[in-house]
Amino acid sequence: MANKAGLPIGMGLGLALGSALGVALDNLALWLSLGVAIGAGLGVAMSAAPAKKRDGRNGGDGGSHVGGSDGKSDRDAGGDSDGGGDGGGGD
């Protein structure tokens, strides 16, 4: 199960920093809303980060490569394609 504590922590930090900047710069409405938005984004990022570490993923694409595992492309398959690319037969 994913760590759900990242979002409230991020929003709380954003709220605190946004209110401090809003009072200091005399524009509380702007900085409070920006602080909550940035804090929510950071909170979602903090929630997603531990899930990647637990799965053992190292940032690879995780999918198979085009052309199969032998490293050859479809052109190297040897007569299986007419080269048209439209999927039609090679008459």
Side-chain angles (χ1 to χ4, degrees), residues 6-7 9-15 34-46:
L7 184 61
I9 290 173
M11 287 184 70
L13 289 173
L15 185 68
L34 282 177
V36 169
I38 292 171
L42 290 175
V44 169
M46 288 187 333

Side-chain angles (χ1 to χ4, degrees), residues 52-53 55-63:
K52 290 181 182 177
K53 290 180 184 176
D55 290 342
R57 297 181 187 162
N58 60 0
D61 61 357

Side-chain angles (χ1 to χ4, degrees), residues 3 9 11 15-18 22 26 29 31 37 41 44 53 55 68 70 74 76 86 89-90:
N3 182 10
I9 290 173
M11 287 184 70
L15 185 68
L17 289 174
D26 198 30
W31 287 103
V44 169
K53 290 180 184 176
D55 290 342
D70 61 355
D74 289 337
D76 297 334
D86 60 356

